[in-house]
Amino acid sequence: MASVLVVEDDQFVRSALIRHLTDAAHTVRSVGTALEALREVAHFRFDVVILDLGLPDLDGSEALKMLRGITDVPVIIATARDDETEIVRLLNAGADDYLTKPFSVDHLSARIAAVLRRSRSVGAEAAPSSVLRVGGLTVDPLRRQAELDGARLDLTRREFDLLAFLAGRPGVVVPRKELLAEVWQQSYGDDQTIDVHLSWLRRKLGETAARPRYLHTLRGVGVKLEPPMDGEPAR
């Protein structure tokens, strides 16, 4: 059972989602505008938010950015927009997953379950002494904090999960299928999803794909995180 916030202005869709989620033993609150959603997450704790993009007061993508400013609750986008550029933009803005309308209730249930498994496994597996250190990079899974050379990194939920997973396997090449399964909790998916998050993570680590320091991509194989060579300057 989870606490779910449904942000959807279409009353018919909203009622159907509430009915289905309640039947699945979830606790559900619902709103029809972005501003109401922001007020809800500021006052209540949710396990997941289902966010429509076509809201009457504010575009859902802007609402997502505002949500990310006050909470790291997992957000599943529910949208009729299937443009690849838009999907990538949403992932960049901090979405944990997305569904293209129309979708089945079974599909929604599977996505919610996957997001909850991932978010809960992070807390369950983390121990007080499990701080990860790779070169000048420090990752604390329990507090969900990361630092580079003593400076705090401002990471989205998915960026942190990806970094923590790789930091727990320094020097090991992790196949993309394993990243999708362990970080995204998906048995299949688009490699571009991984590439987008790696790109944004590299920016925050002060590196590029052409001049990597910590994150190294082996084309056709996978990704590894390892400390930079001794004396290699930050960029």
Coordinates of all heavy atoms in Angstrom, one line a residue, residues 32-86:
G32 N -6.8 19.0 -9.0 CA -6.9 19.3 -10.4 C -6.1 20.4 -11.0 O -6.1 20.6 -12.2
T33 N -5.2 21.0 -10.1 CA -4.3 22.0 -10.6 C -2.9 21.9 -10.1 O -2.7 21.1 -9.1 CB -4.9 23.4 -10.2 OG1 -4.7 23.5 -8.7 CG2 -6.3 23.6 -10.6
A34 N -2.0 22.5 -10.7 CA -0.6 22.5 -10.3 C -0.4 23.1 -8.9 O 0.4 22.6 -8.1 CB 0.3 23.1 -11.3
L35 N -1.0 24.2 -8.7 CA -0.8 24.9 -7.4 C -1.4 24.1 -6.3 O -0.8 24.1 -5.2 CB -1.5 26.3 -7.5 CG -0.8 27.3 -8.4 CD1 -1.5 28.7 -8.4 CD2 0.7 27.5 -8.1
E36 N -2.5 23.4 -6.5 CA -3.0 22.6 -5.4 C -2.1 21.4 -5.2 O -1.9 21.0 -4.0 CB -4.4 22.0 -5.9 CG -5.5 23.0 -5.8 CD -6.8 22.4 -6.4 OE1 -6.8 21.7 -7.4 OE2 -7.8 22.7 -5.7
A37 N -1.4 20.9 -6.2 CA -0.5 19.8 -6.1 C 0.7 20.3 -5.2 O 1.2 19.5 -4.3 CB 0.0 19.3 -7.4
L38 N 1.2 21.5 -5.5 CA 2.3 22.0 -4.7 C 2.0 22.1 -3.2 O 2.8 21.8 -2.3 CB 2.8 23.3 -5.3 CG 3.4 23.3 -6.6 CD1 3.6 24.7 -7.2 CD2 4.8 22.5 -6.6
R39 N 0.7 22.6 -3.0 CA 0.3 22.7 -1.6 C 0.2 21.3 -0.9 O 0.5 21.2 0.3 CB -1.1 23.4 -1.5 CG -0.9 25.0 -1.7 CD -2.2 25.7 -1.3 NE -3.3 25.4 -2.2 CZ -3.6 26.1 -3.2 NH1 -2.9 27.2 -3.5 NH2 -4.7 25.8 -4.0
E40 N -0.3 20.4 -1.7 CA -0.4 19.0 -1.1 C 0.9 18.4 -0.7 O 1.1 17.9 0.4 CB -1.1 18.1 -2.1 CG -2.6 18.3 -2.3 CD -3.4 17.8 -1.1 OE1 -3.2 16.6 -0.7 OE2 -4.2 18.6 -0.5
V41 N 1.9 18.5 -1.6 CA 3.2 17.9 -1.2 C 3.9 18.7 -0.1 O 4.8 18.1 0.5 CB 4.1 17.8 -2.5 CG1 3.5 16.8 -3.5 CG2 4.4 19.1 -3.1
A42 N 3.6 19.9 0.0 CA 4.2 20.7 1.1 C 3.6 20.4 2.5 O 4.3 20.6 3.5 CB 4.0 22.2 0.8
H43 N 2.4 19.8 2.5 CA 1.7 19.5 3.8 C 1.6 18.0 4.1 O 1.4 17.7 5.2 CB 0.4 20.2 3.8 CG 0.4 21.7 3.9 ND1 0.4 22.5 2.7 CD2 0.4 22.5 4.9 CE1 0.4 23.7 3.1 NE2 0.5 23.8 4.4
F44 N 1.7 17.2 3.1 CA 1.5 15.7 3.3 C 2.7 15.0 2.7 O 3.3 15.4 1.7 CB 0.2 15.3 2.6 CG -1.0 15.9 3.2 CD1 -1.6 17.0 2.5 CD2 -1.6 15.5 4.4 CE1 -2.7 17.7 3.0 CE2 -2.7 16.2 4.9 CZ -3.3 17.2 4.2
R45 N 2.9 13.8 3.2 CA 4.0 12.9 2.7 C 3.3 11.9 1.7 O 2.4 11.2 2.1 CB 4.7 12.2 3.8 CG 5.8 11.3 3.3 CD 6.3 10.4 4.4 NE 7.3 9.5 3.9 CZ 7.1 8.4 3.2 NH1 5.8 8.0 3.0 NH2 8.1 7.6 2.8
F46 N 3.8 11.8 0.5 CA 3.4 10.9 -0.5 C 4.5 10.0 -0.9 O 5.7 10.3 -0.9 CB 2.8 11.6 -1.7 CG 1.6 12.5 -1.5 CD1 1.7 13.8 -1.3 CD2 0.4 11.9 -1.4 CE1 0.6 14.6 -1.0 CE2 -0.8 12.7 -1.1 CZ -0.6 14.0 -0.9
D47 N 4.1 8.7 -1.3 CA 5.1 7.8 -1.8 C 5.3 8.0 -3.3 O 6.4 7.6 -3.8 CB 4.6 6.4 -1.5 CG 4.6 6.1 0.0 OD1 5.6 6.3 0.7 OD2 3.5 5.6 0.4
V48 N 4.3 8.5 -4.0 CA 4.4 8.7 -5.4 C 3.3 9.7 -5.9 O 2.3 9.8 -5.3 CB 4.2 7.3 -6.2 CG1 2.8 6.7 -6.0 CG2 4.5 7.5 -7.7
V49 N 3.7 10.5 -6.9 CA 2.8 11.4 -7.5 C 2.5 11.0 -9.0 O 3.5 10.8 -9.7 CB 3.3 12.9 -7.4 CG1 2.5 13.8 -8.2 CG2 3.5 13.3 -6.0
I50 N 1.3 11.0 -9.4 CA 0.9 10.8 -10.8 C 0.5 12.2 -11.3 O -0.5 12.7 -10.9 CB -0.2 9.8 -10.9 CG1 0.2 8.4 -10.3 CG2 -0.6 9.6 -12.4 CD1 -0.9 7.4 -10.3
L51 N 1.3 12.7 -12.3 CA 1.2 14.1 -12.7 C 0.8 14.2 -14.2 O 1.5 13.8 -15.1 CB 2.5 14.8 -12.5 CG 2.6 16.3 -12.9 CD1 1.6 17.2 -12.1 CD2 4.0 16.8 -12.8
D52 N -0.4 14.8 -14.4 CA -0.8 15.1 -15.8 C -0.1 16.4 -16.2 O 0.2 17.2 -15.4 CB -2.3 15.3 -15.8 CG -2.9 15.7 -17.1 OD1 -2.4 15.1 -18.2 OD2 -3.8 16.5 -17.2
L53 N 0.1 16.5 -17.5 CA 0.8 17.7 -18.0 C -0.2 18.8 -18.5 O 0.2 19.9 -18.4 CB 1.7 17.3 -19.2 CG 2.9 16.4 -19.0 CD1 3.7 16.2 -20.2 CD2 3.8 16.9 -17.8
G54 N -1.4 18.4 -18.9 CA -2.3 19.4 -19.4 C -3.1 20.0 -18.3 O -4.4 19.8 -18.3
L55 N -2.5 20.7 -17.4 CA -3.3 21.3 -16.2 C -3.7 22.7 -16.6 O -3.1 23.4 -17.4 CB -2.4 21.3 -15.0 CG -1.9 19.9 -14.5 CD1 -0.9 20.1 -13.4 CD2 -3.0 19.1 -14.1
P56 N -4.8 23.1 -16.0 CA -5.4 24.4 -16.4 C -4.6 25.7 -16.0 O -4.7 26.7 -16.6 CB -6.8 24.4 -15.7 CG -6.6 23.5 -14.6 CD -5.7 22.4 -15.0
D57 N -3.9 25.6 -14.9 CA -3.2 26.8 -14.4 C -1.7 26.8 -14.7 O -1.2 27.9 -14.8 CB -3.4 26.9 -12.8 CG -2.8 25.6 -12.1 OD1 -2.7 24.6 -12.7 OD2 -2.5 25.8 -10.9
L58 N -1.1 25.7 -14.9 CA 0.3 25.7 -15.2 C 0.7 24.4 -15.9 O 0.1 23.3 -15.6 CB 1.1 25.7 -13.8 CG 2.6 25.9 -13.8 CD1 2.9 27.3 -14.4 CD2 3.2 25.8 -12.4
D59 N 1.5 24.5 -16.9 CA 1.9 23.3 -17.6 C 2.6 22.3 -16.6 O 3.3 22.7 -15.8 CB 2.9 23.6 -18.7 CG 3.2 22.4 -19.6 OD1 2.4 22.1 -20.5 OD2 4.3 21.8 -19.4
G60 N 2.2 21.0 -16.8 CA 2.8 20.0 -15.9 C 4.3 19.9 -15.8 O 4.8 19.6 -14.8
S61 N 4.9 20.2 -16.9 CA 6.4 20.2 -16.9 C 7.0 21.3 -16.0 O 8.0 21.1 -15.3 CB 7.0 20.4 -18.3 OG 6.6 21.6 -18.9
E62 N 6.3 22.4 -16.0 CA 6.7 23.5 -15.0 C 6.4 23.1 -13.6 O 7.2 23.4 -12.7 CB 6.1 24.8 -15.4 CG 6.5 25.4 -16.8 CD 8.0 25.6 -16.8 OE1 8.5 26.2 -15.8 OE2 8.6 25.3 -17.8
A63 N 5.3 22.5 -13.4 CA 4.9 22.0 -12.1 C 5.9 21.0 -11.6 O 6.2 20.9 -10.4 CB 3.5 21.4 -12.1
L64 N 6.4 20.1 -12.5 CA 7.4 19.1 -12.1 C 8.6 19.8 -11.6 O 9.2 19.4 -10.6 CB 7.7 18.3 -13.3 CG 8.9 17.2 -13.1 CD1 8.5 16.2 -12.1 CD2 9.2 16.6 -14.5
K65 N 9.1 20.8 -12.3 CA 10.3 21.5 -11.8 C 10.1 22.2 -10.4 O 11.0 22.1 -9.6 CB 10.7 22.6 -12.8 CG 11.2 22.1 -14.1 CD 11.5 23.2 -15.1 CE 12.0 22.7 -16.4 NZ 12.3 23.8 -17.4
M66 N 8.9 22.7 -10.2 CA 8.6 23.3 -8.9 C 8.5 22.2 -7.8 O 8.9 22.4 -6.7 CB 7.3 24.1 -9.0 CG 7.4 25.3 -9.9 SD 5.8 26.1 -10.2 CE 5.7 27.0 -8.6
L67 N 7.9 21.0 -8.2 CA 7.9 19.9 -7.2 C 9.3 19.5 -6.8 O 9.5 19.2 -5.6 CB 7.1 18.8 -7.8 CG 5.6 18.8 -7.9 CD1 5.0 17.7 -8.8 CD2 5.0 18.8 -6.5
R68 N 10.1 19.4 -7.8 CA 11.5 19.0 -7.5 C 12.3 20.0 -6.6 O 13.3 19.6 -6.0 CB 12.3 18.8 -8.8 CG 12.0 17.4 -9.5 CD 12.5 16.3 -8.6 NE 12.0 15.0 -9.0 CZ 11.1 14.3 -8.3 NH1 10.6 14.9 -7.2 NH2 10.7 13.2 -8.7
G69 N 11.8 21.2 -6.6 CA 12.4 22.2 -5.7 C 12.1 22.0 -4.2 O 12.8 22.5 -3.4
I70 N 11.0 21.2 -3.9 CA 10.6 21.1 -2.5 C 10.5 19.6 -2.1 O 10.4 19.3 -0.9 CB 9.2 21.7 -2.3 CG1 8.1 21.1 -3.2 CG2 9.3 23.2 -2.5 CD1 6.7 21.7 -2.9
T71 N 10.6 18.6 -3.0 CA 10.5 17.2 -2.6 C 11.2 16.3 -3.6 O 11.3 16.7 -4.8 CB 9.0 16.8 -2.5 OG1 8.9 15.5 -2.1 CG2 8.3 17.0 -3.8
D72 N 11.6 15.2 -3.1 CA 12.2 14.2 -4.0 C 11.2 13.0 -4.2 O 11.6 11.9 -4.6 CB 13.6 13.7 -3.6 CG 13.5 12.9 -2.2 OD1 12.4 12.9 -1.6 OD2 14.5 12.4 -1.8
V73 N 9.9 13.2 -3.9 CA 9.0 12.1 -4.1 C 9.0 11.6 -5.6 O 9.1 12.4 -6.5 CB 7.5 12.6 -3.7 CG1 7.1 13.8 -4.6 CG2 6.5 11.5 -3.8
P74 N 8.9 10.3 -5.8 CA 8.9 9.8 -7.2 C 7.6 10.4 -7.9 O 6.5 10.4 -7.4 CB 8.7 8.3 -7.0 CG 9.3 8.0 -5.6 CD 9.0 9.2 -4.8
V75 N 7.9 10.8 -9.2 CA 6.8 11.4 -10.0 C 6.7 10.6 -11.3 O 7.7 10.4 -12.0 CB 7.1 12.8 -10.3 CG1 6.0 13.4 -11.3 CG2 7.2 13.7 -9.1
I76 N 5.5 10.1 -11.5 CA 5.2 9.4 -12.8 C 4.3 10.4 -13.6 O 3.3 10.8 -13.2 CB 4.4 8.1 -12.6 CG1 5.2 7.1 -11.7 CG2 4.0 7.5 -13.9 CD1 4.5 5.8 -11.4
I77 N 4.9 10.7 -14.8 CA 4.1 11.6 -15.7 C 3.1 10.8 -16.5 O 3.4 9.8 -17.0 CB 5.1 12.3 -16.7 CG1 6.1 13.2 -16.0 CG2 4.3 13.1 -17.7 CD1 5.6 14.4 -15.3
A78 N 1.9 11.4 -16.5 CA 0.8 10.8 -17.3 C 0.5 11.8 -18.4 O -0.1 12.8 -18.1 CB -0.4 10.5 -16.5
T79 N 0.8 11.5 -19.6 CA 0.7 12.5 -20.7 C 0.2 11.9 -22.0 O 0.4 10.7 -22.3 CB 2.1 13.2 -20.9 OG1 2.0 14.1 -22.0 CG2 3.1 12.1 -21.2
A80 N -0.5 12.8 -22.8 CA -0.9 12.4 -24.1 C 0.2 12.7 -25.1 O 0.2 12.4 -26.3 CB -2.2 13.1 -24.5
R81 N 1.3 13.4 -24.7 CA 2.4 13.9 -25.5 C 3.4 12.7 -25.7 O 3.9 12.2 -24.7 CB 3.1 15.1 -24.9 CG 2.1 16.2 -24.6 CD 2.9 17.3 -23.8 NE 1.9 18.3 -23.2 CZ 2.3 19.3 -22.4 NH1 3.6 19.5 -22.1 NH2 1.4 20.1 -21.9
D82 N 3.6 12.3 -26.9 CA 4.5 11.2 -27.2 C 5.8 11.6 -28.0 O 6.5 10.8 -28.5 CB 3.8 10.1 -27.9 CG 3.3 10.5 -29.3 OD1 3.4 11.7 -29.6 OD2 2.6 9.7 -30.0
D83 N 6.0 13.0 -28.0 CA 7.2 13.5 -28.7 C 8.5 13.1 -27.9 O 8.5 13.3 -26.7 CB 7.1 15.0 -28.8 CG 8.3 15.6 -29.5 OD1 8.5 15.3 -30.7 OD2 9.1 16.2 -28.8
E84 N 9.4 12.5 -28.6 CA 10.7 12.0 -27.9 C 11.4 13.2 -27.2 O 11.9 13.0 -26.1 CB 11.6 11.4 -28.9 CG 12.8 10.8 -28.3 CD 13.7 10.0 -29.3 OE1 13.1 9.0 -29.8 OE2 14.8 10.4 -29.5
T85 N 11.5 14.3 -27.8 CA 12.2 15.5 -27.2 C 11.5 15.9 -25.9 O 12.1 16.2 -24.9 CB 12.2 16.7 -28.2 OG1 12.8 16.3 -29.4 CG2 12.9 17.9 -27.6
E86 N 10.2 15.9 -25.9 CA 9.4 16.2 -24.7 C 9.7 15.2 -23.6 O 9.8 15.6 -22.4 CB 7.9 16.3 -25.1 CG 7.0 16.6 -23.9 CD 7.1 18.0 -23.4 OE1 7.9 18.8 -23.9 OE2 6.3 18.3 -22.4

